[in-house]
C-alpha cells in the first residue's frame, strides 16, 4: 500500500512539473496516455503468453 501511494505521489510530481515546464496540459496528458498504453500492452502480452494463445 505504501509503495502504491509513493508511486502515485511521484507520478503526480512528474506530471505537475511537466505541466509547469511545458505550459500546456498536452504534454502531461500524452505522457499519461503513453504510460497507460504501455501498461495495457504489457498486460495484453502477458495474458497471451500465460494462456499460450
Amino acid at each position: 500500500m505504501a509503495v502504491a501511494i509513493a508511486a502515485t505521489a511521484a507520478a503526480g510530481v512528474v506530471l505537475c512539473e511537466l505541466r509547469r515546464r511545458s505550459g500546456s496540459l498536452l504534454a502531461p496528458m500524452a505522457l499519461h496516455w503513453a504510460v497507460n498504453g504501455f501498461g495495457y500492452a504489457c498486460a495484453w502480452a502477458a495474458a497471451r503468453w500465460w494462456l499460450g494463445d
Side-chain angles (χ1 to χ4, degrees):
M1 173 94 169
V3 174
I5 293 170
T8 302
V13 169
V14 169
L15 292 173
C16 284
E17 186 62 18
L18 187 56
R19 161 68 170 102
R20 189 182 71 77
R21 288 181 185 221
S22 71
S24 168
L25 276 179
L26 227 71
M29 285 171 55
L31 178 61
H32 191 277
W33 180 84
V35 169
N36 285 353
F38 180 72
Y40 180 82
C42 287
W44 177 83
R48 306 266 299 172
W49 182 75
W50 279 94
L51 298 176
D53 206 28

